[in-house]
Every structure is written in structure tokens, then in C-alpha cells.
Amino acid sequence: MNRTQWVYRFGGGDSEGAAEMRNLLGGKGANLAEMSSLGLPVPPGFTITTEVCTAYYDNDRNYPDDLSGQVDAALAFIEETVGAKFGDPDNPLLVSVRSGARASMPGMMDTVLNLGLNDATVEGLAAKGGDARFAWDSYRRFIQMFGDVVLGVDHDNFEEIIDTQKMMKGAALDTDLDADDWKIVASGFMERVEDETGKLFPQDPRDQLWGAITAVFGSWHNDRANIYRRLHGIPESWGTAVNVQAMVFGNMGDDCATGVAFTRDPSTGENAFYGEYLVNAQGEDVVAGIRTPQLLTIAGKEAQGSDLPAMEEVMPTVFGQLDEVRLNLEKHYRDMQDIEFTVQQDKLWMLQTRSGKRTAKAALKIACDMVSEGLITKEEAVSRVDPESLGQLLHPTLDPNSPRDLLTRGLPASPGAASGKVVFSADEAEAEAAKGEAVILVRIETSPEDIHGMHAAQGILTSRGGMTSHAAVVARGMGRPCVSGAGDVRIDYANRKMIVIGREIGAGDRLTIDGGSGEVMAGEVPTLQPELSGDFGTLMGWVDNIRKLHVRTNAETPLDAKTAVDFGAEGIGLCRTEHMFFDADRIIAVREMILASDTAGRRAALEKIHPMQRRDFTELFQIMAGKPVTIRLLDPPLHEFLPHSDDEMQQVADASGVSLEDLRIRAAELAEVNPMLGHRGCRIGVSYPEISEMQARAIFEAAVEVSKTADAPVEPEVMIPLVSDRKEFDLLRERIDAVAAEVFEEAGAEVPYLVGTMIELPRAALRAGEIADGAEFFSFGTNDLTQTTFGLSRDDTAGLLKEYARRGIFEVDPFVSIDVDGVGELVRLAVERGRTTRPGIKLGICGEHGGDPASVHFCAEIGLDYVSCSPYRVPIARLAAAQAALKG
Amino acid sequence: MNRTQWVYRFGGGDSEGAAEMRNLLGGKGANLAEMSSLGLPVPPGFTITTEVCTAYYDNDRNYPDDLSGQVDAALAFIEETVGAKFGDPDNPLLVSVRSGARASMPGMMDTVLNLGLNDATVEGLAAKGGDARFAWDSYRRFIQMFGDVVLGVDHDNFEEIIDTQKMMKGAALDTDLDADDWKIVASGFMERVEDETGKLFPQDPRDQLWGAITAVFGSWHNDRANIYRRLHGIPESWGTAVNVQAMVFGNMGDDCATGVAFTRDPSTGENAFYGEYLVNAQGEDVVAGIRTPQLLTIAGKEAQGSDLPAMEEVMPTVFGQLDEVRLNLEKHYRDMQDIEFTVQQDKLWMLQTRSGKRTAKAALKIACDMVSEGLITKEEAVSRVDPESLGQLLHPTLDPNSPRDLLTRGLPASPGAASGKVVFSADEAEAEAAKGEAVILVRIETSPEDIHGMHAAQGILTSRGGMTSHAAVVARGMGRPCVSGAGDVRIDYANRKMIVIGREIGAGDRLTIDGGSGEVMAGEVPTLQPELSGDFGTLMGWVDNIRKLHVRTNAETPLDAKTAVDFGAEGIGLCRTEHMFFDADRIIAVREMILASDTAGRRAALEKIHPMQRRDFTELFQIMAGKPVTIRLLDPPLHEFLPHSDDEMQQVADASGVSLEDLRIRAAELAEVNPMLGHRGCRIGVSYPEISEMQARAIFEAAVEVSKTADAPVEPEVMIPLVSDRKEFDLLRERIDAVAAEVFEEAGAEVPYLVGTMIELPRAALRAGEIADGAEFFSFGTNDLTQTTFGLSRDDTAGLLKEYARRGIFEVDPFVSIDVDGVGELVRLAVERGRTTRPGIKLGICGEHGGDPASVHFCAEIGLDYVSCSPYRVPIARLAAAQAALKG
């Protein structure tokens, strides 16, 4: 058997590892090795690989036999490089022991610093550095950390001892304690550890080292880490690495410092060194906020109007070295870096580098700038921007500097932030908006009847419903911020108030929602308006050259269609004609049609609707100017259009000349236990072909009319929804073709058209081969397909989905990101079978997944022709499509 | 190329065809050939094959080139055999031209008799038979039939001419017209044909023949035939054959007769010759009912107390020949035959034989008798009985001789007939039943709250809901007759009445339903009680020796379980624990549990339910005596158990000490838009593990207790419903195992048990491979799987399913017989994937399909271990399973 290399060294100007070895060495270890190879000043150390972690757990928490020898050898390498010896009372080597997983898991696992100190070496450290206070402070810090992390002694024990010492000295701050005080504290710590554990604190540095290594590997399975992994989809099998590294100190005097920096401004993306440091301090002091950090550069200091001197002024030489490191790192990694450094007695040490987190705006600017600078290619620039983050650029955001009074959190259903007066009904929303009031519409859930109120409101909050509930889908379409499924909100319509965990908010009170985070806040929080930079246009231009998937939009109103075209939509993938039925000027005719007791009555009412539908389509075709438009025939069960209030019932009765009682009976007959699985989709067309015929007629008449004047020909795609069997499709297609022939005959002109179907039921996916015999395109309706495949109603299960996420049953909400294993298999099957029957069949997706980057990748992988999503997600889908093309 | 034989001859003591050639010759042609080969007296003729039909349609309605020559040769064969010539004025040959498809399509296609008559041959016929009236009557019948069928002249035209002639003669009946009258009529017919078609009536017998052949082939695609084929699943590609046969006449005098007979009594199955005849008559006269048919045998005549002489008396010699034919045919075909014959001038001619239709009782008796007689094997006997027909033997049926006042027809949801007073609520049903009244419970739809009323009622009628609606499923389980989804019934609860197409039926009025046919009748119709003969037991004994599939039952009450065991159930495949939650003595505790605001409150309420659940299981385990029992954990959404009325709400409030308002809010929170896709099944167990734990505890405690005293060990199978992902299953299985371990520890005794799941969601079928990792059995819940695969709610779509059947979109209701193409593919996938992971996994089905013969065949084909169905369908499933084994 080959000897396995369990340990990789770095530092001293060379290393055994490299950045690409992240899987083996973890992110931190791999980058320390890389920096070391680059000749950057990295304190020497070694990484115990993630394979050791795996072997340790596989082997009942025992280490590989030959690990210990490899660690000893690596330790000797550190000793030699640093010129100090582990446990040497005169010249002690101190090390840090840190975790470092493949994926960043900030704060989830354990760290021990200053390891190697004991009652003897602390004296050596004091003598060597000439600073007894520093030595004893370091020792007590080590005991505290080791006691907590390795020995499991609660940190309260240590705080108590420090407080006692401060009291005895009349000291207010830790900094008021001197070397002797820390010596007393350290000895108190020792005793307390003995009391708590029944054992002496380990004095042998090697025992300390193995204790710390084992604690770090053990922390891979602490509760926090397990939950974090589950939430972030990090496999347990990856394991963590352990990094053992010589300590360097930023707190040995005024020629010492410690800091964190970004190689460019992570907020604006500006190409300027951005960071903070503290003189004579340890890393944790920068984070803890006890002292105010100072800025690195003079320019930064001036920009922030800071009085404190910049590092550039205080330590110009070291700053120069650091700035050089910055340029080196950017050039090497070809990305903005987030770095940590320490200056010990005027010597710079690099402790970490990694790709820096950044705002969407910064991501865009950095990507574009780096292309200009020749650092990266356009393709790389495109792959660097998180598509989801574009949402930040398109919608108002909350001012990050304003205080927030957080009430609760719901689902981030439609991005953007909004504030306004609370209203509890759509009518109220409309009335208040007419007076110029900004309002937030609060509903248990919304229905198509609420659409006018949603339009009028600045934002929408619902207590029920998931990411694809009515409220969520419609709000996204309109670009209105929406928080849905806020389960803590109890709405009392009768008393016009809502109660959120004991707090009452009445109608007229101010409320703020953030549809990007799901936060619901009391009162008004100022918002920042979005501005699209030139970088956005530049990047999207590259995106469009790269991507292969077309991007369409789900839209039915002229406004939505225009917005989507402005965002780059290449057509309409889903025009939901039912949304056109709710307009105030036609809903009564629609209701007459539904409540008619026979075909003649229905036809009469349809005659009233027909010219309005034709006008709808004429407008859409004009806006889309030759781009393809997929129009779905009426889909929801008819009862969704029925009035609920007595007044509205009476209105319909008056208009239709039917008695109120008969209307009520008809309405009761139409009611359904499970409307999602009811008399809807193509089933309406089978039962009432005159409805489909009216719609087909309106479509073809509009297409013929617009084609006469337009430059580009109009080619409508008529979509038959909710098909489960080819016979349903064939039956309706026959009627649509007949209407088309009639219209063309009447008009003396023809337009090309396609007839296809939505694949949104498992059976449709399974029988796609047959259905494709008659259908010229498939559009995957993955909202309904997800509902039926999982047997999960998007209107009812927002709470359940949260619970499932919490328990790790669902890693992502399957209504947000397509369930590749289940729903995805059906989609694949349908693609395969559809193409077998009709090789050139046009394939797209028009469920909400069409705007989700992960789902767009899936669509690209299986070779769909286009995705279709709500207008505001079009840029996101374009970028995701480009990234998918680069990946594929 | 080989010459294709398009024409097959029969008659004259030999034939070119045989009974096995039904696909090529059609049923009629094949059996005529077979009888001829047997040496039975069959008028000579020939069959033009179904391949000609197919070729005709494939070749744009043109015949194969060489057909005409083959027809001429076969015609010459008839002429020679009969000793007459087609078109010969002195000795004319007359023929019939009849359709004959592979499957019987009674009355769907066309027939022409007496072909070959023209103005010349009619005289020859008159001269030859010495009966001018007969000849002219035959001629006018031919013109009429040919005119209607071949030339498309509406038959009203002909009726009018006959009526005119009768008026002129002052005749009342056709029989009052003489030879001259018919001559006048015939000539009037000729003129009318010329007027209507613009052409002379064809006088050339060959033109007549080809006209008739083409009309018969053409009738394969008439509307009636197309609809019939669609409804009966007969492929269009089968085509029909055409039979051309020498005419024989039963109406040439008193030495002539015609009749139909069954070789055994089709009603009782008794081994006695049973049939009717008429002297001097044509076949259509027997059917038309103008003259009263006479019985064949003296015994038959006496049994019916008829005054008319039997054939056995009138024509003893010919009767003797016929009786011999009867015995020959039974011996040859080894089944009861339905035959047609004609006696022409004392000579017997056989015109048809086929397997006779029979009642369930007769089928059983004939099958058993024929085994005793050594005619058939036990296996053949088993394959001869239609499983579905056993329903007739197990339930009361309507007295066929009583008048019925049919109101409407719904779905035949649960077999059996029942009469009683109409009641509109479950409470009323219970109250009236307590007074000894027979009642019919009429509801728009039923819910679990109505179960006590369904128990109390004689029968159930609902205006909504399909074959697997709550009413249908529960009624079948109880063996109560039920008609569901009677869409014409409008129920007005407020005024305690129902309106059926204008007729009003109030509470207290009498109503009769037939759950086998779906008929709803006003008033009381007497019913016949079922009696199970010894033949039933005999046949079922053979069945059990043959079948390989086990048959279990869906049952939860002791009564249902006992009934099922009596019917031969080998275990319980589905015990729906929620049905146990509705008992009056526990529903309040159940509601307290549901409405509890926290885990502690739920646990307190569950503590009250626990001993009752344990008692339920103890009883079931005792009744099942070691047979396997699959218990499904609570499945429906909790709101199904909630009270609706204010009184009931108050009751729960009082019992639980929660305010009425809080109860209402909680109830509103639990309400769902699509409960079928809501918070149910294993999702309840994920959210409220304490409920599953209570149920598991009750199961294991009962199992341990019963195992102590029982002979056979109790091995419960705990079933987790509505799983869509292995993580859900694993989570709940872990808890169930923990409870089992606890109970076994407490009791100091263990029982073996299995934990498995229902596969009832498309995703579960797709992910079956993973789920089988933890699940020891799968039970296919094909009700819900059908709902989700089709996106079709069984509660809402009864009307739609009717419409889909009418339009031929669904050939069978997919809730009645499993949809092999869609749902079936998912089941196959799940079987395959489940077995790959766990080769020995136990597989069953517990949807309503488990009692449907076609679905049982499917289950056998894919190798399931068992099917489970409602108690009254257990014998049907056993028989279907045996037939599947014989077929496989």
C-alpha cells in the first residue's frame, strides 16, 4: 500500500499544497499554501487533510496510524522555519489550530490560539518579547479558549474570575489589568478547570496539540455545524481540514498591528484598497468593536472623514508591502480578495485570503472593470455575477443605515422594499392610493379579485401561501414587493387589525416590508431607489452573446409586456388570459357567461367579451412586434370568477336577468373541494367549447389585424392547458384549427400559428410521446407539475415548507427551485418522448422556475429552447442562461 | 406474391373456415364455418374476410383487384350447392348479406336480406314456392331494406306507401294485405327510390350484391359503430367481415318456423333446452313481439303455464334434430350456446351459434355442472365466470318483474338495491333507523362525519362525487348500496327536498336506488335477497387453488373485518385509522387534540384517545387471528375532524377550556384551499410526531397483548402515508421504531413488525428506489395516485368523468379501472425501483382498484404480492386473481 500523505506543509517560501487542492486541504489551508508558493509572507504551518477527518469518523473516531509521525515531522518543520521549539521554556513555539472546510462555514467550528503555552513557556515568552503583560494575557487567553473548546468548561467560569480580579483592583476595563493581574487570573483559570474537569490543565504542548486537533475534527459534528451543513447542502462526507500554524502577534507593541482588507471596495466595486486595522491588537479586537478600527489608506480616511491616522501614514513601509501583496493577489487570483494580515514588530504576515463577498453593484463593476483591465475574460466576468443578486439592482432596497423595528419574517416572495399605510382590502387599497397614499395591502391570501388592490398598493403582505401562491406570482409579475406566508401574522378582518406575536397593527398604521428578505417591520423605513449603471448594460450584452437559451416573459398586461421587453425578453412564454377576465368592465359579462344555464346563454355573454379579448391581444401583439407570443386558453376553474358578496351577486343577477336564488344554486354547483384538481384547464374547453372558440377567434382576428400593419408577422402560439391525454388535446386542437380557418377565410388573410400544450400533470409528462403527435410545442408548467408530483398545494403549505426546510427534509423549496430528482425526471421524460415523436418540437418552461438560476441551469442541461419568467426576473434568467452555457 | 384468400366458403357439409379464425372471419362467419364442418345443416355461403375491410379503407375505399373473381367463384359454389342460380327468373338464388365483426357489435352495422330479387326473379320465386303473397312480400321487404341500407332512402318513405295501401284496402294489419297489395307496394317503392335517388332501382342481382357488400363495409364507419367501438375499446383496425349466405325461409307455410334458443337456461343455469319459436314466421317476427312466441319444450311450456303448443309437440321430428344439434354444439364448444335456426318446409337450418349471455347465478351453475359432466376442467370453469357479476350474488337486486319509476341515473358506486324513506342528514338517518324505518340517506356529498348515518341507512345517494368519493368508498366498505354523482339531483337542505329534473321528492317520500346500475327510482321497488349457492363455494375453492395473488381487505371496523374474512380475505391491507376517530365517544377528544395550541395540549388529548385506539387494534388483531394487518397512520388533514355547527364548537370549547373565539381562529387557520394536497398523511406526523407516536404505541401494545393469548403471532405492518421523499419516511420510521422498542421493553415481550409506506404520489413512485431503503413494504394507494397523476379530484369530477366517457376521451373511469398507460407506468417504475433496492420488498395495492378485475390482472402481471379491496369485493378479487393466474 502506498503511504497516504495526511499532512501538507506551507510557509517558509514554499508549500506542498495549492489553491486547487481545496477539497483536500479546505479553503483556508489551500489558500495559505497558495500564498506561500507565491512567496508571500505566511507564517509556517501545516494542514491535516479532510481525508483524515473522514478516516477518523469512518474508523470510530480513531486516527490513521501514521498520522502522528507525519504531524511530528511537520511540527519539526515549523520549529526549524521559525527558529523556536515547541515546549522550549526559553524559546517557545506557539501555534494556532483552526478548522478549514471545503466550503466556508463561518463561525461554525472551533479554533484554539496561543497553543504551546504552559507554566514554563509563558515565562520564556515574557522574557523573549520583553513584555510580561502580553505573555500572561496570552496565557490566560489560551487557557480560556482551550478550556472552553477542548475541555468543555463553560466560558462563564472564566468571565467570573476576570470580573472578580477587576473588582479587587477597582479596574473598569481588561486593559486596566497588568501582568500580575493576568498571572492571578491564569492561575484562577487553572484551578477552575481542575474543579470542573477533575483533571489538571495539560501542561505538555503535545497533549495540548492533539486535544485541539481532536476538538476541531469533533466540531465537524457539533449541532451548529450539522444544521449549517443541512441548510447549505454541504455533504457530511466532505469533512474539515485542520490548520496548525505558527502564531504571529499583532499585540506585541506599537510596531505591531492587525487588520482585514478587501482588494477593492466591496460595496461600490471601486478599484481602491479598502480595509481597517488596529495598532497593537489581536484579530479578535478588530471584530469585537471595543476600539474603533482605523482605515488603511489616506484616501479612505478622507472619504469617511475619519480623524484617526491611516496605516499608509503610520506604517508606510509595511503598508507599501501590503499594497503590493494586494496587487499580487488580485493578479494571481484574478478576483477581488478578502484578506487578513498581522504586523508583528514591523514584519507583515498574511493569515488568509479568499474571494471577497460584495454587493450586486460591486460585483457588476468589478467584473466589468477586470475585463477592461485585461485581468479576466468576458466569459469569466459573466460567470462571476450571482444572477439572484441582480434583484438588488432592479428594486428599491431598505436604507441599511436606518433603524428597523422587526415584527416577523415571511417568505421573500417578490423582491423590493416598500412602506405604507396598512389596508386590509383591495378596495380600500385602491381608494387610499387614489388619494395619493402609499399603502401596504395585508391579506390572509389574495385571489384574482384582489388584483386591482395589488396594483394600487406599494407592497403586499399575506399570512398564508408559498412562493408560488397567487400573491407571490402576481406580485412578481407586477414587480410589486411581496412577503407571503408570514405565519406569525394573525389577521382579523372584522376588526381591521393584525396581531403579530402579541403586537397589534391596525388599519392606517405604517408598515414596511422587504420582499427580498421576507422581513416585516413596524413603521416606515426609508428606501433607496435602484439605479442601473452602464456596467449592467455592458454585462448583459456579453450575456446575450453567450447564452443559448432564449428568455421570454410571463405577461398579459401591456405594462408588464413593455417592462419585460425593456429587460430583454424575447417573447411572451405565458399570457394568462384569465387575468384579462377580471377587468371591471368585463367581469360582469364573464360572470353572466359562467352562470348561464345553457350554451346559448354562454354564447351571448361571450359575444360581449369577445371584442375586449381581441383588443387585449391586438395590444400585446403590437408591443411584442413580431416576437413570439404564447397565449394560454382560460385555465382556472370558473368559480374563481364568481362574486362572493351579496351586492355583486345582485349586480350579476340584474345584468343577466337570472334570479338571485338560481345564481346561488349555480354558484354552489360550481364550488369545488379541490379546485386545483377540478374542472379547469382544457376541461373547461371540453365542456364549454364555445369559450375556447371565442378565445381562439379573438387571437386569430387580432393576429390578422396586427399583421396587416406590422413589419414583422405575428405568429401566435395557442396553448391548451392541463392536458392529461392526447384525446383532450386533439379535440380542442380540432376546434382551434376550425376557428383559424374561419377567421382566415373571413379576413382573406392568413397568419402562421402553432398549437401546443402545457405539460403540467405527471400523466402529460408520461404520455408526452402521444401528445406530441398533435402538439407543436410543449411549455412545462412546473408550478402545477410540482404540486401534483409532490401532492402539495402551493396555497396551503407555506408553513409546512418552512417546517420541512427546518428539519432538512427539503433542502430548497421545490416551488422556488425545480426538484431535479422528481419533477425533473418527469420533465426529462417528457422532453425525450416528445422529441422522439416530433424531433423539432419547441420546448420551454413557463412555471415560476423559469426565473430561478438553478432551474435555468437544469433547463439548459436538458436542452429546452427557452425559459419564461416574470418581467423583473428576465435579466436574472438571461444571466443564469449565459452561465449555464459557459458551464455546459 | 402469394395470392391472398379473401373469401372463405362454408355449407354443403364442409367449410374453409373454423371457429378459431374469428379474427379473419368475424364471430358469425367463423361459427357458421365451424357448424358446417361439424356436419350441421348450414345454408351454404361465404365470408369476405376482415382483411378486405382493412384493405378497402387503407386503399381509399377500393377493393383488392382479385376480390371480384373470388366472390364470383364462391357464388357459383352456392348456386351449385343450393341448385339455384343468382338472377335466374325460373329458379332464383336469394342471399342474405350480413356484417360480422371479431367482437359482437349488436345492431351497429347493416344487413340486407332476400337479395337477388328483381322484377323477373320475384315471379320465379312465386312460381317455385307456389305462394305469390310470400314472393311479393319478400320483394317489397328487399326493396325497403336495400333502399334504406344501400341507397340511403329514409325508411319513412316506405312506411308511408304501406300505410296508403292499407288505407285504400281498409286493412288494419300488414297481414291483411295480399299478394296484389304487396305487388302495388313494391312498385310504389321502386318509384319512390327513383324519385329520391334519381336512379332506377338496380335490377341486376350482381349490382345488388356489390352494393350490399359495400354498404356493410361502409357501416363499419357509421356514427353508431364508431361510438360503440370507442365505448367498448374495439380497435378501428379490426374491421368487419361480410357474410353472404343462401336465404332460407321460415315463412313459407305451416311446415316452416324460426326460433332462438339457449342450450341451457340462461337465467338459472339449469341444464334444460330453453328457447322460443314461431311457426310460419321470419326471424324478425320473433323479436318484434307482434305474435307471442311459443316455447320449444313441453317442460318449458308447463313451467311457464303457456297454452300454446311446444315445438316438441308440433314438429317432433325437427325438434329432435334440433335437440341433437344442441347436444352436439355444447359438446363441441364446451359452453352454453345461444343459437338461431329456421325450419323451411320441415328442414332444419342453423343460422348462428355463439356463447350465450347468462346471469351470474347461471354462469356459476353452468361452470360447476360442466365440470361435473366432464365437459370442462376446473380451470376453464374458473375462467368462464365474470368476476364483476359476482356482485349480483352478494347483494339484493331489484325484482325484475316490478314496475320502476326511473328518476335519473348516477354512478353505480356500490352494488345492491335498496328502498326507504328519504332523509337529508346523518342524524335524521340514525333517528329514523332507530324507529325501525328503512331510510335512504341523500346528501350532496358525504364526509367522515356522516358515517353513523351511512351505517343506519339502507342506501346512500349523492349528487356529487365519483366512483372513489367518500360516499362510494365508505359505502362499498360497508356493503351499503350507493349511487353517487347523480348530477341531475338538486338538493335543497334548507327546505328538506330534492328536485330531479322538475320532480320534487321531499323528506319522508319513498325512494329506491340500484347501486349496481346507478338507477334512482321514485317509490318503493321490491328487492330480491341474495342467496349464495353451493356452486359459489365450489368455484371459490378452485379459485383459491389457482390464484397466486393474495387478497386482503380494506377494513377498520370489527364488522367489516369479519365480513371480509367470511368472504375469504387473507389479511387487512388497509386499516384507515381515521375512521376510528369519528366515534361519538372520542370525537371530542380528537377535536381537543387538533385545536390544542401546543404540544402539551395535544399530548393531553391524545392520552384520552390512546386506550380507545389500543382497544380498536386489539379487536382487529383478535378477529384477524394471525393474518397480516396493515395499519395506516392518520391520513386526512386535521380540519376534516373539526366541528362545523356552533353547538359542536361550543361542546369542544367546554371540553377543552379554550374560548370559542380562539377555537374559531384555530379552525380558520387549519382550513385549506386544496385539502387533498394539503397538510395530511405523513406531513401530520412530521409536524405533530406525538400523534404518530400515540398510534404506534396503541398498535404495538395491542399486538403484544393479543400475541400473549393468540395461537398465531400478531405481526402488524405500520404504514406511513403520503410519503414523497425518503427523508420523511426515515424521520417517522425512526420514531415508530423508538416507540416499538419502548413498548417491548415495558411489556417484556416483542412482536415482529414491518414499517412501510403507501406509494400514492408520483414523486414517491419516482423515488421508490430510495424510499425502499427504509421501507419494508409498499402499498400502492392508486386512488390518490390517480388523482395526482391526472390532476383530477375524485370529489369534484363525477360530472366531468361522465362527459369524458361520453366523448370517448376516457374509455374507462380511471378511478374504477387502473389507467395502465399513465398511473400504471408509475406503479411499474416503483415496483422495479423498489425491488432493485430491496429484492424481497412486500408489494400490494390498497386503492379501490384492488377490487377491479382488470386492475387485478395488471397487479398480477407486474407481480404484486397482494391486492386489498373492500369486503364485498373480496370474492371478485379472488376470482379475478385466479383468472389472471390462468392467463399468465
Side-chain angles (χ1 to χ4, degrees), chain A residues 464 490 668-669 673-677 683 686 728 761 763 789-791 793 796 804 807 819 825 833, chain B residues 464 490 668-669 673-677 683 686 728 761 763 789-791 793 796 804 807 819 825 833:
Chain A
R464 276 226 198 117
R490 281 194 168 186
E669 280 174 355
V673 181
N674 293 294
M676 159 70 206
L677 308 175
R683 297 162 194 169
V686 171
E728 288 172 309
L761 295 174
R763 195 173 192 279
T789 303
F790 277 95
S793 160
D796 297 311
Y804 268 43
R807 292 179 185 271
D819 158 46
E825 179 173 3
R833 295 180 182 183
Chain B
R464 278 227 196 116
R490 282 193 167 187
E669 282 174 354
V673 181
N674 294 294
M676 160 70 206
L677 309 175
R683 298 161 192 169
V686 171
E728 289 171 310
L761 295 174
R763 195 173 193 280
T789 303
F790 277 94
S793 160
D796 297 311
Y804 268 44
R807 292 179 185 270
D819 158 47
E825 179 173 2
R833 295 179 182 184

Side-chain angles (χ1 to χ4, degrees), chain A residues 336-353:
Chain A
M336 187 265 268
Q337 296 293 298
D338 167 1
I339 58 181
E340 290 177 23
F341 63 90
T342 283
V343 180
Q344 180 179 330
Q345 293 164 319
D346 280 331
K347 166 138 183 67
L348 174 70
W349 293 102
M350 296 306 299
L351 297 181
Q352 166 133 321
T353 190

Side-chain angles (χ1 to χ4, degrees), chain A residues 454-751:
Chain A
M454 298 172 75
H455 254 298
Q458 297 298 306
I460 298 120
L461 167 65
T462 71
S463 60
R464 276 226 198 117
M467 292 295 287
T468 53
S469 63
H470 179 267
V473 172
V474 173
R476 278 199 292 278
M478 293 176 178
R480 287 285 174 295
C482 173
V483 172
S484 70
D488 292 334
V489 176
R490 281 194 168 186
I491 297 169
D492 181 349
Y493 287 133
N495 297 303
R496 301 179 68 237
K497 65 181 185 185
M498 60 193 241
I499 297 149
V500 192
I501 323 175
R503 287 181 65 181
E504 216 173 285
I505 311 280
D509 289 349
R510 299 274 158 185
L511 194 73
T512 300
I513 60 168
D514 183 344
S517 69
E519 286 176 330
V520 180
M521 290 142 284
E524 201 130 351
V525 181
T527 52
L528 305 175
Q529 287 309 306
E531 36 174 324
L532 286 180
S533 67
D535 292 327
F536 178 80
T538 305
L539 187 89
M540 294 313 278
W542 299 336
V543 156
D544 287 346
N545 282 331
I546 292 168
R547 72 188 161 89
K548 292 185 194 111
L549 261 181
H550 291 288
V551 176
R552 297 194 190 181
T553 190
N554 301 346
E556 40 279 328
T557 68
L559 179 63
D560 288 351
K562 275 185 208 126
T563 306
V565 169
D566 289 346
F567 280 142
E570 298 166 280
I572 289 180
L574 176 63
C575 164
R576 290 154 291 208
T577 51
E578 57 270 18
H579 286 198
M580 300 165 162
F581 276 41
F582 278 101
D583 276 15
D585 59 340
R586 60 184 85 168
I587 184 69
I588 293 187
V590 171
R591 287 170 179 167
E592 266 179 73
M593 184 269 287
I594 293 165
L595 294 167
S597 55
D598 57 15
T599 309
R602 263 190 306 279
R603 282 198 190 279
L606 286 166
E607 269 316 296
K608 300 185 197 170
I609 305 167
H610 168 227
M612 303 190 252
Q613 276 264 288
R614 185 176 49 213
R615 207 165 51 235
D616 295 332
F617 298 134
T618 305
E619 264 188 287
L620 272 190
F621 291 146
Q622 280 164 344
I623 293 166
M624 297 311 291
K627 296 187 176 71
V629 177
T630 305
I631 296 167
R632 178 176 70 184
L633 299 182
L634 195 66
D635 182 53
L638 296 182
H639 54 78
E640 280 202 8
F641 300 95
L642 287 186
H644 299 299
S645 73
D646 288 354
D647 273 7
E648 286 177 312
M649 279 291 230
Q650 189 61 57
Q651 255 185 321
V652 179
D654 293 346
S656 59
V658 176
S659 82
L660 199 59
E661 179 163 5
D662 277 359
L663 280 194
R664 270 191 226 289
I665 291 178
R666 175 88 177 126
E669 280 174 355
L670 287 171
E672 293 183 312
V673 181
N674 293 294
M676 159 70 206
L677 308 175
H679 194 193
R680 50 172 290 234
C682 68
R683 297 162 194 169
I684 296 174
V686 171
S687 299
Y688 310 121
E690 54 277 9
I691 300 179
S692 312
E693 284 168 4
M694 180 280 285
Q695 293 200 294
R697 175 163 278 275
I699 292 167
F700 293 121
E701 286 174 350
V704 167
E705 188 186 321
V706 175
S707 285
K708 279 182 195 154
T709 57
D711 295 337
V714 175
E715 183 175 337
E717 302 177 351
V718 182
M719 181 150 74
I720 302 175
L722 212 77
V723 162
S724 69
D725 192 284
R726 70 168 297 171
K727 289 188 200 154
E728 288 172 309
F729 181 86
D730 292 348
L731 200 83
L732 285 175
R733 152 135 232 176
E734 218 170 274
R735 290 187 177 266
I736 292 163
D737 286 340
V739 170
E742 264 172 44
V743 171
F744 298 161
E745 168 89 33
E746 287 161 19
E750 298 204 358
V751 295

